[in-house]
Amino acid sequence: MTATSTLAPAPARPTPSSTDGRRQALLALARFEAFRMLRHPLTIAAALLFLGPWLWGWLSGSANRYPVLSDELIVIQLLALPILGGSALIVANLVTLRAHRHKVDASYDVLVLPPAWRLGGFLLALLSLAGVSLLLVGVRVGVSALLPGAVGSVDVATLVTPAALVLLLGAVGVFCGVLIRSVLVAPLAVLLVLVLELVATMPSIIGTGWRFLLPVYASEFPVPVPASVSDRPAARHLAYLVGLTVLLVAAVLARAAARRSFVAAALSVGLILAVGGGLTQSWPDPGMAAARATVEDRPASIQSCVTRADVTYCFFDGFGGFVSGWDEVVTSVRAVVPDSAASSGPPLAVRQRVPLEEISAYQTGSIAEAVRTVAAWKTADAAAGTPEAVRVGTEWGDARASAVLAAGVAYRLMAGEAFDGGFSLCGARAALLVWLVGQASPTTLAGMRSLDETSMGALSFSDVSTLFGISAPDRAAAPALALLKRPSAEVPPLVERHWAELTARDTPLERFGAIFGVPVQPLSPEEGEGLCTT
Amino acid sequence: MTAVRATSLALRYGRTTALEDVSFSLRTGVTGLLGPNGAGKTTLLRIVATALPADGGTLRILGHDPGTPPGRLAVRRRLGYLPQDPGFHPSFTAFEFVDYVAILKELTHRSARHAEVARVLSAVGLDDRRRSRIRTLSGGMRQRLALAAALVGDPDLVILDEPTVGLDPEQRLRFRELIADLGERKTVLLSTHQTEDVMSLCQEVVVLDRGRVRFEGTPSELAGLAAGRVWTSTQRQAGALASWRTGTGLHRHVGDPPPGAALVEPSIEDGYLTLVGAATGAEAPATAGGAR
């Protein structure tokens, strides 16, 4: 100490507290704690972890699938629970235990603001974490919505759910701190949350009725589906989460001997929301079965169609943003097809399809059912005025999806009908299809190579929406891939000249090799052309 | 004006009697609370600080009954308490810590609160360390910070439990200045083992021993208890209540002097030893000077 200090009189004694003063102290405490919670290294790390990989994927171009906003929100929820929620749980727990850990209880016990109000301040401060979560989610969804090709809609309840999850887990952190005075409890609670998350992402291992009782639930379907058949009761689930949070708040305040009337009110509200939301979200929607049947079997009645050049594109509500991309693929495949072939058969149409029953996590489809579904689709397409429509799924933007659509279009142009399942293509047709897909664009070529990496014995163009993929044996794909290395101007005239021969069912692969001057491997004894019946 | 009036206070922990029939009163100024280890000083301070309820007796603090929730609240609004081992949040800055305490004292107006925090930090000489993290402060600085937290809100009653323990002589001197200044306007109850603190600061002294008040009066009255019972000699004398060798080489004795002994002026320490040493039979002053 170097200077002499004396205690100057206080300028004015603080105003004696009234109820308003206590509320103001509560708010001041909440502000103070909120500031510290937001500055906590764990909070900052969680925000970076939440945004970083997504931002990197977006900036580096590795995240090339066009965002479906409704689907994006589900992914965000699944990320927000362990990352943002987990950090909120630990940070809230540390704040609650801070006075005990630092042995300040003795001093704080004789201060004016009672323990229940102090805990109230901690709980209120969690709103800041929830607010930041909402902001982070908003940034992700907002940027995704601005990306080219973004489709789908944003449901407000689903948008708010990550923030509600943060509040819930933050309240769990406070509750743990009040109940058990050890910092080891919070990490264990986060571990439990991770287990719950794991269960949530495997909907088949829990019943349909129970999955909504988890803090998050994954979609029943592995691909985006139209909003009308999404079984996510988002608003009721949000009410359920808020109810659980209010119940935890009531438990915390009861433990801190808060005013009974307040605890009782919180308990009542929490019970109503948690039980009401929890029960009603599991109730089956009577109109859902019909809506699903419409989407799967008769989509034409609810789809919109646009015509580009002479091609008709039909899509589910909210998916119109994909049409430009589809059209690019269709145009580039048709560009090397003779005009006579391009205009033969019914007018070319592309229809969005999603086989709900076959891809649901709660049902087990069979091949026979899939065959019946495809047959029904053909009938429905004909009835809707788009016979032999090429099928396209609800995911778009990555190279694989482009390659699958290009293969569907190529087959349609070669065969005059949509692919409806069966064995591999064979002979010259198979090689021609592979070449048509590969030449369409660098994207389709990349998609094809990517599909090839995961194929065994044959190059299969399929995704969950096509039910049956078109495949070409590796023996047929090899000369086509070799041909793709030739200068692009050399091949199309030959294709146009030999189109009829190349697309005939009985033209052998050797003929393809002879026309284009590319080597063809001899047929091995175990490899029979008989398998290629399509 | 009487700020605290305790009448027959009692507290038991199971079969152990911590306090029994404790009566005293505190007025504006500094009152020292002396007593050997285990005398019940901290327990008594915690009762007066409203951290602990008494089992029996009556207590009025600043005109309120701390036994009732409204009375307790009213007392806490005008109370500053520095416990024996104050804790800190190491990651807080000095300003944040006192600000936090101020919020818990319900000082809600932001700018006024910040002005008050600045005032008490300045008063304890931590003005230039207000932005420093507590983990970077020395032990003496932390002790001053704890005092600042106790003083925030300009309390009428300040309870200090051994605030000068661990401080170097200069810091102790500064602390004394501060407490003396405080005692001019406020009621300060100071628990200490340092008789120098009592001598230089206190207008009143309460001596507690084995849960009972053994003395209540002025420091000179406490010293007066040993009048005619303190003497020096060249040799240690077995019959004395307490005796020790001083820096001059002479032995100082407290007790019944032998005929012809060279009597000297008693100090507070002598009075304390006369009072407590007689009761405990302790070989003081080791008893009085030891740390808790």
Side-chain angles (χ1 to χ4, degrees):
Chain A
M1 277 188 243
T2 54
T4 303
S5 300
T6 53
L7 192 61
R13 178 183 292 285
T15 316
S17 300
S18 60
T19 308
D20 278 350
R22 178 148 296 174
R23 284 199 193 106
Q24 284 168 19
L26 174 79
L27 293 176
L29 178 64
R31 265 199 305 274
F32 188 99
E33 294 292 5
F35 187 56
R36 289 198 64 84
M37 282 180 181
L38 292 176
R39 282 192 315 174
H40 196 283
L42 210 53
T43 306
I44 295 167
L48 291 176
L49 194 61
F50 181 73
L51 280 187
W54 166 79
L55 209 58
W56 173 251
W58 178 55
L59 292 174
S60 65
S62 57
N64 51 8
R65 180 168 290 170
Y66 286 12
V68 179
L69 298 181
S70 50
D71 225 40
E72 181 87 356
L73 279 171
I74 297 173
V75 174
I76 284 173
Q77 267 186 35
L78 293 173
L79 281 174
L81 180 73
I83 297 176
L84 302 178
S87 74
L89 194 158
I90 293 176
V91 169
N93 187 254
L94 288 175
V95 165
T96 310
L97 290 174
R98 190 173 54 213
H100 173 70
R101 284 192 302 131
H102 299 152
K103 298 181 173 61
V104 194
D105 315 52
S107 309
Y108 290 179
D109 280 352
V110 298
L111 297 179
V112 183
L113 200 65
W117 287 72
R118 266 181 262 163
L119 287 170
F122 299 162
L123 290 166
L124 265 184
L126 293 174
L127 287 172
S128 68
L129 293 180
V132 167
S133 305
L134 190 61
L135 186 71
L136 293 175
V137 171
V139 166
R140 269 189 78 148
V141 174
V143 171
S144 296
L146 293 174
L147 289 176
V151 298
S153 55
V154 174
D155 173 66
V156 175
T158 314
L159 183 75
V160 173
T161 297
L165 286 170
V166 167
L167 267 185
L168 173 63
L169 292 202
V172 169
V174 175
F175 182 67
C176 288
V178 168
L179 214 58
I180 305 166
R181 293 190 155 191
S182 167
V183 291
L184 295 176
V185 175
L188 290 175
V190 172
L191 211 60
L192 180 66
V193 168
L194 286 172
V195 171
L196 290 177
E197 167 114 349
L198 198 66
V199 172
T201 53
M202 295 187 287
S204 54
I205 66 167
I206 45 169
T208 49
W210 290 102
R211 66 188 180 123
F212 297 119
L213 296 180
L214 295 172
V216 288
Y217 51 90
S219 174
E220 176 184 346
F221 306 107
V223 294
V225 295
S228 61
V229 292
S230 165
D231 66 338
R232 301 177 68 81
R236 282 168 284 163
H237 188 67
L238 181 63
Y240 168 68
L241 294 178
V242 173
L244 289 182
T245 308
V246 176
L247 281 178
L248 277 171
V249 169
V252 167
L253 296 182
R255 176 93 180 166
R259 223 172 37 224
R260 282 185 185 176
S261 59
F262 189 84
V263 173
L267 204 61
S268 308
V269 171
L271 274 175
I272 289 169
L273 287 171
V275 175
L279 286 179
T280 58
Q281 66 183 338
S282 305
W283 285 351
D285 182 346
M288 185 56 76
R292 288 189 171 185
T294 303
V295 164
E296 177 156 5
D297 302 331
R298 301 175 300 281
S301 61
I302 53 169
Q303 283 183 332
S304 306
C305 295
V306 294
T307 302
R308 298 264 176 102
D310 54 347
V311 183
T312 303
Y313 299 95
C314 299
F315 51 87
F316 290 111
D317 189 28
F319 286 83
F322 287 172
V323 171
S324 300
W326 297 342
D327 189 48
E328 278 176 28
V329 171
V330 171
T331 304
S332 56
V333 173
R334 290 180 83 197
V336 292
V337 172
D339 291 343
S340 56
S343 58
S344 70
L348 185 57
V350 175
R351 185 177 292 284
Q352 205 172 21
R353 286 286 189 177
V354 53
L356 294 173
E357 275 194 35
E358 284 75 8
I359 61 174
S360 167
Y362 300 114
Q363 298 180 34
T364 47
S366 65
I367 297 281
E369 282 172 10
V371 169
R372 276 197 295 274
T373 300
V374 171
W377 284 359
K378 281 179 93 85
T379 308
D381 283 341
T386 54
E388 304 302 335
V390 176
R391 293 182 285 275
V392 66
T394 49
E395 289 180 307
W396 189 251
D398 69 353
R400 283 179 169 226
S402 296
V404 172
L405 176 62
V409 173
Y411 184 89
R412 167 69 171 77
L413 294 172
M414 286 162 53
E417 61 183 14
F419 185 79
D420 57 0
F423 296 104
S424 296
L425 290 182
C426 56
R429 291 207 310 169
L432 178 63
L433 182 129
V434 171
W435 179 81
L436 284 170
V437 172
Q439 65 78 39
S441 70
T443 307
T444 54
L445 180 60
M448 189 168 71
R449 291 194 191 287
S450 170
L451 288 166
D452 194 23
E453 284 169 8
T454 52
S455 300
M456 290 279 285
L459 178 54
S460 181
F461 299 93
S462 66
D463 62 26
V464 290
S465 305
T466 57
L467 277 182
F468 294 108
I470 306 171
S471 59
D474 285 346
R475 180 171 169 268
L481 291 171
L483 191 60
L484 284 166
K485 292 174 182 165
R486 294 261 184 88
S488 57
E490 286 180 14
V491 186
L494 287 172
V495 169
E496 185 166 2
R497 196 180 316 151
H498 296 281
W499 180 260
E501 187 184 3
L502 289 169
T503 56
R505 284 174 186 267
D506 53 357
T507 305
L509 185 61
E510 285 73 13
R511 180 63 188 138
F512 181 91
I515 290 172
F516 296 105
V518 287
V520 173
Q521 285 182 349
L523 198 64
S524 63
E526 62 273 17
E527 198 177 4
E529 281 285 332
L531 289 173
C532 306
T533 55
T534 304
Chain B
M1 177 197 163
T2 302
V4 176
R5 185 182 298 281
T7 312
S8 301
L9 286 184
L11 184 75
R12 296 178 69 85
Y13 293 117
R15 291 182 181 176
T16 310
T17 300
L19 295 175
E20 192 174 1
D21 195 26
V22 171
S23 300
F24 64 95
S25 58
L26 304 179
R27 295 175 192 81
T28 302
V30 183
T31 300
L33 182 61
L34 284 173
N37 291 338
K41 297 192 299 293
T42 294
T43 301
L44 180 59
L45 291 187
R46 294 192 70 212
I47 289 174
V48 179
T50 74
L52 198 63
D55 287 343
T58 58
L59 182 63
R60 299 287 293 180
I61 304 174
L62 302 167
H64 302 281
D65 176 6
T68 65
R72 194 158 48 242
L73 194 61
V75 171
R76 287 177 177 179
R77 283 185 184 133
R78 297 168 64 189
L79 175 77
Y81 175 45
L82 170 58
Q84 194 174 354
D85 294 310
F88 301 96
H89 306 307
S91 65
F92 279 35
T93 65
F95 189 93
E96 281 174 337
F97 180 69
V98 181
D99 191 35
Y100 193 75
V101 171
I103 290 171
L104 298 185
K105 284 188 174 183
E106 295 190 2
L107 308 188
T108 56
H109 192 272
R110 191 182 163 87
S111 57
R113 186 178 74 238
H114 285 186
E116 172 65 1
V117 172
R119 179 185 75 87
V120 292
L121 282 175
S122 171
V124 299
L126 286 176
D127 217 8
D128 55 340
R129 301 303 300 266
R130 59 164 65 185
R131 301 286 169 218
S132 302
R133 303 256 168 232
I134 295 177
R135 70 167 73 93
T136 67
L137 300 181
S138 68
M141 286 176 177
R142 290 184 188 196
Q143 194 70 355
R144 281 187 275 156
L145 183 64
L147 180 64
L151 297 181
V152 75
D154 195 26
D156 290 318
L157 173 62
V158 180
I159 298 168
L160 308 172
D161 196 353
E162 300 191 25
T164 55
V165 168
L167 298 183
D168 63 35
E170 188 189 359
Q171 286 175 333
R172 194 177 301 152
L173 184 68
R174 290 292 309 280
F175 240 86
R176 283 183 193 153
E177 282 178 17
L178 204 61
I179 294 166
D181 188 46
L182 194 64
E184 287 179 13
R185 292 170 290 116
K186 310 289 180 184
T187 302
V188 180
L189 179 57
L190 170 72
S191 167
T192 182
H193 278 303
Q194 310 285 338
T195 48
E196 301 100 312
D197 286 347
V198 175
M199 209 151 54
S200 58
L201 283 172
C202 300
Q203 290 83 52
E204 297 284 329
V205 188
V206 174
V207 178
L208 203 62
D209 184 29
R210 284 175 287 182
R212 287 176 167 272
V213 172
R214 303 271 299 163
F215 174 84
E216 186 182 6
T218 63
S220 56
E221 285 170 346
L222 178 59
L225 292 179
R229 302 190 70 200
V230 184
W231 74 100
T232 55
S233 69
T234 55
Q235 290 180 10
R236 190 180 187 88
Q237 296 205 355
L241 182 66
S243 56
W244 66 98
R245 193 170 184 274
T246 66
T248 60
L250 291 174
H251 288 262
R252 187 179 177 99
H253 310 283
V254 179
D256 294 325
L263 292 176
V264 294
E265 195 69 23
S267 67
I268 291 179
E269 201 165 58
D270 299 326
Y272 173 80
L273 287 174
T274 304
L275 197 66
V276 177
T280 59
E283 192 71 9
T287 311
R292 281 178 70 110

